[in-house]
């Protein structure tokens, strides 16, 4: 078994949205006192909690709290973070800032449960993440001096999920929450997309799968060492998923859960949190990145579900960010090769995030805050849009069919396009030889390499004679057939740049932006789940079959002189694992002989539905 011991710091830098702020000689230790306490929950378990309180005690302050599985470090009351709170501005103006190790992680007691299920109508000492948050808030407002009785929660990624959990049966003192890139359901975020296993997250399984024996300040898990930068070749050489047992044994609980629950059964369903978001009382500001490779499903569906079920103040912010970019402060905002603008994160932190929390925590908090219902960046026009509703109500439906001669047409055709899909030579998700802990840059990556493969079908418009703004959710309605009994289907929406496009500072040396194929949105559907995520079923060979794929929302103007392109493929490696293309009950148990080359067909009445916004 090959294992590589990562330091905690390196692990966080590679996986978490680390906050990097250019501070002007601000010393947290000079302005804040720090205490560490172990707060008892209703069942007696104590959760380790770090409290930063302003030294200026002449006034009362709200409490801003983040609960995390990734450590409330540094430990020791004489050890201080260089940045506390959601951003520099909220830190400098004074707030009581609290970090807590969730149950079973780091210095907290108890047993960790990955995406612990919410328990409705809890009795006695029953607990979940909602009740742990409630009990923590109750203790804080009664024991921390100079608090004003108002609490806000925030967090990015998994801490964002805990911010969502704080909203369920919320404590009356919780007045505002900002779940940012919060996980909504592990069958649709991070480790799965529509039932397809994200092999690219395999190494992250180490973070969530191992139990610790007691409170600790040191990491207790190891990450597998691939031994190469060529992760495509590594996973291809490994073969079937079952061979990865060499790296994770039975002591990795999460790996066992992934293998034992390949379908959307009660195990996964109970761990989703979206279904519990009803009658939410605190104000909510959902934040996400339009190019977040890890968590798009969670943020969009958190906002939409609260909007449907609750009468609270509920707004959303989506910028041109990858995972957690909004918590950084860099002058030039780029994702991969593509530059979007200057000081975008700082503007958000100063004018949106700080305004939101101050209104509900420091001011009277009555009425609506002076912020738009939805701030969404136009990633093609390079500017913010403010909307009164999301998706915009004035948007009009537009359907493109996958027609003849690689064209996107306005009418369905009798066209049939076929290609051979070979699991031994899967289509890569990027064109780089680079081992990454979790993928990010591919979300805006150049797709020319894929467009030129025979097992990727390409359909595109003529060069646009005027701007075309696409906004909201995308639905791909494919009609397909396969010579096998199983297949995956991936759809990519691509902005093809003109030949005279200039390079950005961020463009890789071996690339040019002329004719750049920028991926704007993409999604995969494991074909066995086309009718039900709970009950998979095989394809009938050579039978025309509908497969619908919902792609997460976009807000993108395809500029005059550009082209809209759709790519359709069946492998996407090693972003997702290889489909054997012969139906097996559990792909985690597939054997080498199950992997078969098959021919797939796309019919000309397949369509992609967009919403067009005319400005």
């Amino acid at each position: 078994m090959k294992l590589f011991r990562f330091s905690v710091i390196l692990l966080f830098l590679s996986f978490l949205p680390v906050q990097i702020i250019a501070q002007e000689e601000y010393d947290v230790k000079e302005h804040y006192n720090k205490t560490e306490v172990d707060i008892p929950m209703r069942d007696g378990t104590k959760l380790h909690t770090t409290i930063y309180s302003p030294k200026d005690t002449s006034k009362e302050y709200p409490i801003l709290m983040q609960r995390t599985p990734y450590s409330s470090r540094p430990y020791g009351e004489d050890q201080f973070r260089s940045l506390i709170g959601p951003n520099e501005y909220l830190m400098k103006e004074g707030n009581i800032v609290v970090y807590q190790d969730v149950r079973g992680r780091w210095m907290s007691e108890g047993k960790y449960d990955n995406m612990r299920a919410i328990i409705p109508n809890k009795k006695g000492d029953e607990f979940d993440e909602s009740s742990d948050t409630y009990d923590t808030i109750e203790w804080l407002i009664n024991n921390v001096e100079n608090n004003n009785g108002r609490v806000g929660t925030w967090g990015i990624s998994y801490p964002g999920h805990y911010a969502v959990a704080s909203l369920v049966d919320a404590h009356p003192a919780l007045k505002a929450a900002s779940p940012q890139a919060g996980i909504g359901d592990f069958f649709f975020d991070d480790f799965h997309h529509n039932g397809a296993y994200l092999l690219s997250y395999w190494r992250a399984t180490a973070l969530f799968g191992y139990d610790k024996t007691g409170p600790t300040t040191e990491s207790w898990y190891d990450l597998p060492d691939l031994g190469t930068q060529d992760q495509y070749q590594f996973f291809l050489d490994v073969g079937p998923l079952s061979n990865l047992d060499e790296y994770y044994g039975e002591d990795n609980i999460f790996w066992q859960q992934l293998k034992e629950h390949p379908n959307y059964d009660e195990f996964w369903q109970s761990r989703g949190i979206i279904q519990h978001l009803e009658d939410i009382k605190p104000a909510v500001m959902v934040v996400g990145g339009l190019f977040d490779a890890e968590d798009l499903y969670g943020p969009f569906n958190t906002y939409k579900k609260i909007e449907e079920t609750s009468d609270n103040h509920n707004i959303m912010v989506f910028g041109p960010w990858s995972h957690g970019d909004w918590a950084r402060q860099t002058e030039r905002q780029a994702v991969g090769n593509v530059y979007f603008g200057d000081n975008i994160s700082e503007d958000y932190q100063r004018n949106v995030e700080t305004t939101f929390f101050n209104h509900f925590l420091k001011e009277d908090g009555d009425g609506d805050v002076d912020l738009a219902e939805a701030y969404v960046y136009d990633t093609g026009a390079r500017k913010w849009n403010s909307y009164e509703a999301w998706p915009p109500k004035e948007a009009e439906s537009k359907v493109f069919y996958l027609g003849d001669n690689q064209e996107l047409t306005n009418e369905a055709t009798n066209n049939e396009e076929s290609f051979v899909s070979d699991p031994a030579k899967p289509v890569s998700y990027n064109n780089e030889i680079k081992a990454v802990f979790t993928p990010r840059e591919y979300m805006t990556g150049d797709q020319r390499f894929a467009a030129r493969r025979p097992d990727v079908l390409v359909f595109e418009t003529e060069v646009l004679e005027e701007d075309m703004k696409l906004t909201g959710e995308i639905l791909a309605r494919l009609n397909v057939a396969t010579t096998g009994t199983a297949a995956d289907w991936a759809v990519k929406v691509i902005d093809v740049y003109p030949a005279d496009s200039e390079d950005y500072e961020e463009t890789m040396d071996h690339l040019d932006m002329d004719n750049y194929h920028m991926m704007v949105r993409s999604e995969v559907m494991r074909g066995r789940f086309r009718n039900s995520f709970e009950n998979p079923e095989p394809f009938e060979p050579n039978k025309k079959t509908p497969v619908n794929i919902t792609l997460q929302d976009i807000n993108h103007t395809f500029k005059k002189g550009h082209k809209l392109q759709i790519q359709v493929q069946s492998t996407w490696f090693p972003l997702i694992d290889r489909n054997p293309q012969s139906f097996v009950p559990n792909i985690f148990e597939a054997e080498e002989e199950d992997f078969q080359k098959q021919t797939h067909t796309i019919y000309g009445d397949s369509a992609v539905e967009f919403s067009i916004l005319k400005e």
Side-chain angles (χ1 to χ4, degrees):
M1 180 181 295
K2 295 182 179 179
L3 294 171
F4 180 72
R5 173 68 72 178
F6 272 71
S7 72
V8 173
I9 293 176
L10 286 177
L11 176 58
F12 288 162
L13 285 174
S14 63
F15 185 60
L16 299 179
V18 178
Q19 294 168 306
I20 303 173
I21 302 293
Q23 298 181 38
E24 299 177 0
E25 301 299 326
Y26 187 87
D27 185 357
V28 175
K29 194 170 186 178
E30 181 181 342
H31 298 277
Y32 283 84
N33 294 316
K34 179 187 176 186
T35 57
E36 296 185 17
V37 296
D38 295 319
I39 299 177
M41 301 292 103
R42 61 190 60 185
D43 68 329
T45 300
K46 294 179 180 179
L47 303 189
H48 190 78
T49 309
T50 299
I51 304 167
Y52 293 88
S53 299
K55 288 185 176 181
D56 179 2
T57 59
S58 63
K59 56 184 176 181
E60 294 181 336
Y61 301 91
I63 296 171
L64 278 167
M65 179 172 68
Q66 179 184 110
R67 304 184 67 244
T68 177
Y70 299 132
S71 173
S72 60
R73 72 190 196 287
Y75 297 105
E77 293 189 346
D78 61 338
Q79 301 296 313
F80 284 69
R81 293 188 177 210
S82 59
L83 169 72
I84 59 174
N87 64 51
E88 178 181 7
Y89 308 104
L90 288 165
M91 171 182 68
K92 288 182 176 179
E93 67 183 32
N95 285 280
I96 298 168
V97 181
V98 175
Y99 296 91
Q100 183 179 78
D101 293 335
V102 298
R103 184 181 292 256
R105 299 290 284 188
W106 300 90
M107 287 295 289
S108 285
E109 298 176 350
K111 182 176 176 60
Y112 179 66
D113 189 359
N114 203 13
M115 291 288 289
R116 187 187 305 276
I118 294 290
I119 303 174
N121 305 313
K122 287 177 285 293
K123 298 177 181 178
D125 60 358
E126 288 184 323
F127 62 86
D128 55 19
E129 302 303 341
S130 171
S131 69
D132 280 355
T133 310
Y134 189 106
D135 294 349
T136 300
I137 292 175
E138 179 70 13
W139 190 95
L140 291 171
I141 62 174
N142 286 295
N143 291 278
V144 177
E145 295 181 355
N146 293 96
N147 81 80
N148 69 358
R150 291 174 175 265
V151 179
T153 57
W154 97 98
I156 299 172
S157 194
Y158 219 141
H161 165 75
Y162 292 115
V164 177
S166 74
L167 297 168
V168 180
D169 300 323
H171 193 286
L174 181 63
K175 302 300 181 182
S178 183
Q180 304 177 3
I183 304 159
D185 191 313
F186 261 164
F187 207 73
F188 301 98
D189 281 313
D190 284 308
F191 288 89
H192 298 92
H193 277 208
N194 292 323
Y197 172 59
L198 264 75
L199 186 59
S200 50
Y201 286 73
W202 172 74
R203 282 204 291 169
T205 308
L207 272 73
F208 310 114
Y210 295 111
D211 279 341
K212 62 184 181 66
T213 57
T216 179
T217 62
E218 302 296 329
S219 62
W220 59 97
Y221 43 79
D222 296 303
L223 300 184
D225 178 16
L226 304 188
T228 176
Q229 286 295 305
D230 193 342
Q231 59 185 10
Y232 180 102
Q233 193 64 46
F234 170 82
F235 285 113
L236 198 61
D237 290 343
V238 163
L241 292 176
S242 59
N243 291 340
L244 290 170
D245 287 342
E246 174 187 351
Y247 297 86
Y248 293 138
E250 293 183 0
D251 58 333
N252 190 300
I253 298 170
F254 188 42
W255 178 240
Q256 302 306 316
Q257 291 170 338
L258 286 165
K259 295 192 303 178
E260 293 167 4
H261 301 278
N263 307 325
Y264 194 51
D265 58 14
E266 171 61 22
F267 175 82
W268 294 113
Q269 292 176 30
S270 68
R271 281 162 167 73
I273 200 166
I274 304 296
Q275 64 266 34
H276 297 287
L277 298 178
E278 296 188 6
D279 194 25
I280 301 303
K281 301 300 184 185
V284 178
M285 182 177 71
V286 176
V287 181
L290 289 165
F291 300 111
D292 189 337
E294 299 180 38
D295 299 294
L296 269 174
Y297 173 91
F300 275 122
N301 285 281
T302 295
Y303 168 79
K304 291 175 182 177
K305 183 62 181 292
I306 294 174
E307 199 69 9
E308 292 172 2
T309 65
S310 306
D311 193 31
N312 67 327
H313 187 87
N314 180 46
I315 63 176
M316 57 173 265
V317 182
F318 279 81
W321 298 309
S322 65
H323 195 61
D325 283 351
W326 53 92
R328 302 175 177 91
Q329 201 176 76
T330 54
E331 181 179 352
R332 292 177 61 86
Q333 173 58 37
V335 177
N337 300 298
V338 184
Y339 161 76
F340 293 102
D342 289 344
N343 301 313
I344 293 173
S345 297
E346 181 181 6
D347 290 343
Y348 152 76
Q349 293 168 26
R350 182 196 299 269
N351 299 316
V352 181
E353 187 174 47
T354 299
T355 298
F356 172 79
F357 278 120
N358 280 349
H359 177 80
F360 291 103
L361 301 182
K362 291 187 175 180
E363 300 167 17
D364 58 23
D366 294 329
D368 292 339
V369 64
D370 188 21
L371 293 171
E373 172 73 14
Y375 285 115
V376 188
Y377 201 82
D378 186 322
T379 53
R382 309 298 201 266
K383 65 180 182 180
W384 283 104
N385 294 141
S386 298
Y387 296 111
E388 296 179 356
W390 185 264
K393 294 180 179 178
E394 59 272 29
E396 301 175 357
S397 178
K398 173 64 177 177
V399 178
F400 287 105
Y401 289 90
L402 309 185
D404 300 330
N405 303 315
Q406 299 186 334
E407 293 179 348
L408 290 174
T409 61
N410 293 320
E411 301 290 339
T413 70
N414 294 321
N415 185 50
E416 297 180 13
E417 295 280 351
S418 298
F419 63 94
V420 175
S421 176
D422 185 355
K425 295 182 179 180
V427 181
S428 178
Y429 76 97
N430 66 8
N431 201 26
E432 305 298 319
I433 304 300
K434 180 181 179 182
V436 295
F437 186 61
T438 54
R440 291 192 180 189
E441 296 179 354
Y442 85 96
M443 292 290 284
T444 62
D446 186 7
Q447 300 300 306
R448 276 176 285 196
F449 76 95
R452 294 163 183 172
R453 283 188 56 132
D455 50 358
V456 177
L457 300 184
V458 177
F459 307 87
E460 64 183 21
T461 63
E462 298 292 335
V463 174
L464 298 176
E465 298 181 356
E466 59 182 18
D467 290 356
M468 180 174 64
K469 185 183 182 74
L470 304 182
T471 187
E473 198 172 75
I474 304 167
L475 175 62
R477 293 190 288 104
L478 304 183
N479 289 304
V480 303
T482 175
T483 55
T485 53
D488 294 335
W489 304 94
V491 174
K492 299 183 289 189
V493 178
I494 293 164
D495 185 341
V496 180
Y497 280 47
D500 59 353
S501 297
E502 296 182 359
D503 294 347
Y504 303 120
E505 289 181 17
E506 293 78 9
T507 305
M508 285 184 259
D509 292 340
H510 66 281
L511 288 177
D512 292 307
M513 296 307 295
D514 59 299
N515 196 40
Y516 189 86
H517 285 32
M518 172 190 168
M519 193 168 76
V520 176
R521 184 61 75 239
S522 56
E523 193 54 278
V524 62
M525 169 63 75
R526 180 134 285 171
R528 63 176 52 215
F529 298 120
R530 64 194 180 278
N531 294 321
S532 169
F533 290 109
E534 296 91 339
N535 301 301
E537 57 187 282
F539 286 91
E540 183 178 330
N542 302 310
K543 180 181 179 180
K544 184 177 180 180
T545 306
V547 175
N548 294 333
I549 309 173
T550 299
L551 287 72
Q552 301 299 334
D553 304 29
I554 65 170
N555 192 51
H556 187 89
T557 295
F558 288 75
K559 301 290 288 183
K560 176 182 177 180
H562 292 228
K563 291 187 290 186
L564 165 64
Q565 181 184 97
I566 303 295
Q567 292 184 8
V568 181
Q569 60 198 62
S570 188
T571 53
W572 209 12
F573 188 76
L575 183 70
I576 63 170
D577 66 311
R578 296 177 304 147
N579 193 316
Q581 303 192 144
S582 54
F583 187 86
V584 294
N586 184 346
I587 292 179
F588 285 91
E589 298 176 355
E591 299 180 357
E592 193 69 54
E593 56 268 25
D594 295 320
F595 291 79
Q596 300 291 327
K597 185 187 301 185
Q598 303 291 353
T599 298
H600 301 329
T601 300
I602 303 289
Y603 294 92
D605 54 354
S606 299
V608 182
E609 298 180 2
F610 296 97
S611 293
I612 290 184
L613 189 62
K614 297 180 180 179
E615 296 182 307

